[in-house]
Amino acid sequence: RLKPWAAMRSFAVKSENTEDLILDYELLDRAAAQNKELYQVESIEEFLVTFYAMPLNAQIKLLEFTVNSYSEMRNTIDMMLEAYLDEDLSRMYQISTNFIPQKPENEKYRQTYLKHVVKDRNVVMEHYMRKPMREKKTFIAIGALHLYGDQGVLALIERDGYQVTRMPLERI
């Protein structure tokens, strides 16, 4: 009874056999513990709209690719972590679609996936980031894939007149 996109997303949840932290939740917990003012950069409704707007045939094909690549998911997650620690957003972006077989006929599905899951959401996130950034110093946490490229949140912020300064990752 799930929509194909919802079934596909269910494969991406944290494994019950790991004690790995989910960074989003960890940052949210820390901010709440420090009584920080919290802003949403995407509502659940806006998140859902991006998937509902995706053509049904693409949802079905992407679900098929996800199911077929399930056995490689742990390897993909490890590759994403390695690229993240190497601060290589370009490689992360490429790895994010590893579940889609590298065939010319699949390129339309890769582009559809990136449009709906990353690029369209970047515009929404950047829009909601403007108000708190205008009012005060702001810490904003979003998924690293949303930072990459000329349609990424960083590029959108710069086009809006903000100066972006890269800070290297500090390894503990």
Side-chain angles (χ1 to χ4, degrees), residues 37-114:
E37 190 170 355
L38 302 175
Y39 295 89
Q40 271 185 247
V41 293
E42 179 182 49
S43 71
I44 189 65
E45 293 84 7
E46 288 157 332
F47 175 78
L48 292 173
V49 163
T50 63
F51 291 103
Y52 278 102
M54 186 184 297
L56 185 59
N57 69 320
Q59 292 182 44
I60 292 168
K61 199 67 174 169
L62 290 166
L63 174 58
E64 178 185 315
F65 295 148
T66 302
V67 170
N68 291 338
S69 67
Y70 185 73
S71 64
E72 288 296 312
M73 193 171 294
R74 184 75 245 171
N75 184 46
T76 299
I77 292 168
D78 291 344
M79 289 170 40
M80 287 287 279
L81 178 58
E82 183 180 313
Y84 177 82
L85 292 173
D86 289 343
E87 302 178 48
D88 190 340
L89 292 176
S90 174
R91 195 165 87 223
M92 287 184 71
Y93 198 77
Q94 184 275 322
I95 293 167
S96 74
T97 59
N98 272 2
F99 70 100
I100 302 171
Q102 295 284 334
K103 296 180 180 176
E105 63 267 23
N106 294 335
E107 187 56 27
K108 63 185 174 192
Y109 299 113
R110 183 179 324 284
Q111 293 310 315
T112 297
Y113 174 81
L114 291 170

Side-chain angles (χ1 to χ4, degrees), residues 108-135:
K108 63 185 174 192
Y109 299 113
R110 183 179 324 284
Q111 293 310 315
T112 297
Y113 174 81
L114 291 170
K115 176 190 180 322
H116 289 274
V117 176
V118 182
K119 295 174 185 176
D120 288 354
R121 293 174 60 214
N122 291 349
V123 174
V124 171
M125 290 179 193
E126 192 269 342
H127 171 77
Y128 283 110
M129 291 163 58
R130 289 179 195 166
K131 183 179 187 287
M133 288 182 352
R134 278 194 307 263
E135 293 175 354

